[in-house]
Amino acid sequence: MTPPPESFRALFEENSPKVYRIVFRLVQRTDVAEDLTQQVFLRAHEKLGEFRGDSSIFTWLYRMAMNMAVDHLRHEKALKESSLDAPLRSEEGSATRADLLADQSPRPENQVENDEIARLVRKAVSELDEIYREVIILREMEGLSYDEVANLLGTNVQTVAMRIMRARNQLKIKLKDLPLCF
Amino acid sequence: MIPCDIHQKNIHLALDGELNPVQQAELLLHLAGCANCRDIQKNLTRVSKAVAWATRVPANFDLPAGFQNRFWERLDRTSPRNRPTHWSRPLLVAAAVVLMVSTWQVADRWKIASLGTITPTPFSFESDRLMLSSVQGAISEVERNQADQESQQLLGNYL
Ligand SMILES: [Zn+2]
């Protein structure tokens, strides 16, 4: 069933900024984030009739977005593709990734290395099982409380707490050899 | 006495701001005297900060300019019949104009006599042609206005 056009417009306008921001967190490139966000909504437009309402519409979109971003991260080549010269914004004269990473970085003396470390951290997150990845993204990146994460994912606070512990413990192992100076 | 494994779970909760003040005080007290839990806390804090750092967004982060228009254009290319833009509005307006003019003309043809008898006036090809051209003019005008608006919108995105 094709969704009514105007309701899809409302869905897109309300959710695209949130979906775009989460995708950007993982891919750190505006051009890729835009492309993936658009793909999410193209698929949503196509599949909206199949949405069963088991979760909120944002959770449905969020999971699609995560899967696409993670898929991108898994296939992302090392520094070659995540060049420091890649623009953060499509407009002329905008900041680059190097500008973004210049502050609060763990090793300010070496931005190329920082960029690679950041990429490896994101890759480690992308390699978590989906149930762990989604809670760590919502908690660590979006800053949601356990209660908010539980509501969004349609589960309870105890489950969220347990998944976050496991996610973080797995990340601790994956990141143990990275030179992080926090 | 609270065992280490409980404190280790509480380290996660403390990182996420989910511990109450009493539990927090108990954890701090334990960490002061337990090197193993302190080491775990240090590593988990490092992980938490690393994830936040590697995935942060710039200040005043927002959708890029023209993002939504580019999406509708892409949707139009993949599924033009479902595009939820305002294209349907001029057509609705045009349809309403056709309906109004037709109704007016039918009413005009059927003169209602004062005594209640209805006498249809003869059809005139000339009046039909005039009506048709006025409706076509109205439709073209609406479509032209819409096209102008869309062109301006598109230009606005790229200028
Ligand atoms: Zn201990």
Side-chain angles (χ1 to χ4, degrees), chain A residues 2 5 9 20 25 28 34-35 38 45 100 103-106 114 122 139-141 146 168 175 178, chain B residues 9 12-13 16 18 46-48 50 53-56 61 63-64 67-68 70-72 74 82 84:
Chain A
T2 305
R9 172 178 282 276
Y20 175 77
R25 284 185 184 282
Q28 294 288 310
E34 175 163 340
D35 178 53
Q38 289 190 355
H45 182 263
L100 175 65
D103 61 329
Q104 300 172 20
S105 53
N114 279 342
R122 293 191 297 273
R139 170 63 215 131
E140 300 280 29
M141 301 181 200
Y146 285 10
R168 218 178 254 139
L175 302 179
L178 280 187
Chain B
K9 285 179 184 170
H12 291 274
L13 298 176
D16 296 327
E18 301 278 342
R46 177 176 167 269
V47 166
S48 184
W53 165 75
T55 60
R56 71 191 184 281
F61 187 74
L63 289 175
F67 174 92
Q68 299 204 334
R70 285 192 293 279
F71 171 73
W72 296 123
R74 189 168 171 180
N82 291 320

Side-chain angles (χ1 to χ4, degrees), chain B residues 66-122:
Chain B
F67 174 92
Q68 299 204 334
N69 283 334
R70 285 192 293 279
F71 171 73
W72 296 123
E73 284 161 14
R74 189 168 171 180
L75 180 64
D76 218 9
R77 286 197 299 276
T78 54
S79 169
R81 291 173 67 188
N82 291 320
R83 190 184 178 192
T85 59
H86 300 301
W87 65 267
S88 54
R89 288 181 193 164
L91 291 188
L92 281 175
V93 171
V97 169
V98 170
L99 190 66
M100 279 167 59
V101 173
S102 309
T103 310
W104 165 76
Q105 196 172 37
V106 167
D108 193 44
R109 283 173 182 166
W110 293 79
K111 298 265 169 74
I112 302 169
S114 57
L115 290 175
T117 55
I118 297 172
T119 313
T121 56

Side-chain angles (χ1 to χ4, degrees), chain A residues 17-173:
Chain A
K18 289 183 274 185
V19 170
Y20 175 77
R21 192 181 65 224
I22 290 183
V23 172
F24 178 85
R25 284 185 184 282
L26 283 177
V27 301
Q28 294 288 310
R29 284 184 56 152
T30 50
D31 53 348
V32 177
E34 175 163 340
D35 178 53
L36 295 177
T37 304
Q38 289 190 355
Q39 284 188 47
V40 168
F41 284 93
L42 288 176
R43 194 174 291 179
H45 182 263
E46 195 186 331
K47 306 273 183 194
L48 196 54
E50 294 170 23
F51 174 65
R52 290 165 178 267
D54 298 336
S55 58
S56 77
I57 199 99
F58 176 70
T59 308
W60 183 62
L61 294 168
Y62 165 75
R63 283 182 169 148
M64 272 199 281
M66 279 304 93
N67 288 334
M68 285 191 193
V70 162
D71 204 43
H72 171 84
L73 283 177
R74 283 181 178 161
H75 296 100
E76 189 185 38
K77 301 286 183 296
L79 279 173
K80 195 174 154 193
E81 271 185 29
S82 58
S83 162
L84 286 172
D85 297 326
L88 277 169
R89 296 183 187 283
S90 50
E91 298 93 327
E92 198 179 332
S94 59
T96 64
R97 304 185 69 213
D99 297 330
L100 175 65
L101 292 173
D103 61 329
Q104 300 172 20
S105 53
R107 297 166 68 91
E109 72 278 9
N110 190 340
Q111 286 192 359
V112 174
E113 193 179 344
N114 279 342
D115 199 51
E116 181 60 3
I117 292 169
R119 191 188 68 82
L120 292 171
V121 172
R122 293 191 297 273
K123 191 162 187 293
V125 172
S126 79
E127 287 168 353
L128 295 171
D129 286 347
E130 187 177 13
I131 56 167
Y132 301 130
R133 190 173 62 229
E134 63 184 12
V135 292
I136 210 78
I137 289 170
L138 291 171
R139 170 63 215 131
E140 300 280 29
M141 301 181 200
E142 290 295 290
L144 300 190
S145 68
Y146 285 10
D147 204 31
E148 289 168 325
V149 176
N151 278 335
L152 196 62
L153 298 180
T155 184
N156 57 57
V157 169
Q158 289 72 25
T159 302
V160 170
M162 186 200 70
R163 287 179 185 174
I164 286 177
M165 276 177 218
R166 290 185 181 164
R168 218 178 254 139
N169 285 337
Q170 286 180 24
L171 285 173
K172 189 177 78 175
I173 295 165

Side-chain angles (χ1 to χ4, degrees), chain B residues 2-5 7-8 30-31 33-38:
Chain B
I2 302 169
C4 280
D5 62 333
H7 282 302
Q8 286 161 17
H30 178 79
L31 290 176
C34 179
N36 185 39
C37 286
R38 242 186 355 258

Side-chain angles (χ1 to χ4, degrees), chain B residues 107-156:
Chain B
D108 193 44
R109 283 173 182 166
W110 293 79
K111 298 265 169 74
I112 302 169
S114 57
L115 290 175
T117 55
I118 297 172
T119 313
T121 56
F123 282 92
S124 148
F125 284 113
E126 181 55 21
S127 67
D128 283 352
R129 193 188 61 74
L130 284 172
M131 180 204 72
L132 192 62
S133 73
S134 71
V135 169
Q136 282 171 337
I139 293 173
S140 310
E141 181 62 24
V142 170
E143 284 175 344
R144 238 190 336 271
N145 287 343
Q146 180 65 15
D148 286 349
Q149 277 176 12
E150 286 188 352
S151 307
Q152 279 168 13
Q153 242 178 357
L154 282 173
L155 279 172

